[in-house]
Amino acid sequence: QKEVEQDPGPLSVPEGAIVSLNCTYSNSAFQYFMWYRQYSRKGPELLMYTYSSGNKEDGRFTAQVDKSSKYISLFIRDSQPSDSATYLCAMSLFDNNNDMRFGAGTRLTVKP
Amino acid sequence: SAVISQKPSRDICQRGTSLTIQCQVDSQVTMMFWYRQQPGQSLTLIATANQGSEATYESGFVIDKFPISRPNLTFSTLTVSNMSPEDSSIYLCSVEDRGRATEAFFGQGTRLTVV
């Protein structure tokens, strides 16, 4: 079993839709949860991070962590064609790169 | 935020040859990281490079195959040695801003194809 599971998609939605992206994980010790966005032929860029459980909102993006279910989500409201990218979840025990584990990424296309 | 320049952006190489990838950061950083991103698979950490010390390699990666240099606080190289088609992948360098993974930045990646 992989430490982090993420449905690779692809996911295609119409503009304005609410998008839900999810990851599950096996290591209950993970404390830091991150979402990256990666445009084609670009490196990942950090969108949001959450420490421990709870929700975090930033504009149209909301990150949720449910540690009891080992499940994290990223919601995108009023999705735009510019949101078309691959979204990677990542998590770590500590706030450092050495033990960060990534999901395989979900490819999202938002159609005008 | 750190700006990372990675070269080359892509290359097609013959098997058995080596390729050196360069990563330049616009500010001094203590730790630099090299990742591999294979199609449909997770980003996988290859090694951590600290200035002035040997790189620390993750399980499954060895120095003979992926030698790393870190001559100063703004630059690092990763060499993919004696390449085979299985090495075809995207290679990314990353830095932690202020030593925190939650403030990590990535280069644009090097897309390597081995034929």
Side-chain angles (χ1 to χ4, degrees), chain A residues 26-63:
Chain A
S26 58
N27 188 346
S28 59
F30 285 136
Q31 298 189 89
Y32 294 87
F33 303 92
M34 289 146 280
W35 286 97
Y36 286 85
R37 177 174 62 196
Q38 186 174 19
Y39 291 115
S40 180
R41 304 191 188 284
K42 300 288 186 183
E45 56 176 329
L46 182 66
L47 265 180
M48 302 177 69
Y49 76 87
T50 310
Y51 173 71
S52 194
S53 285
N55 296 355
K56 188 172 186 178
E57 189 172 319
D58 184 1
R60 298 185 293 111
F61 298 88
T62 299

Side-chain angles (χ1 to χ4, degrees), chain B residues 97-115:
Chain B
D97 200 13
R98 300 190 288 180
R100 298 171 58 179
T102 47
E103 296 187 30
F105 298 92
F106 285 84
Q108 77 271 28
T110 296
R111 184 178 295 268
L112 170 63
T113 302
V114 184
V115 298

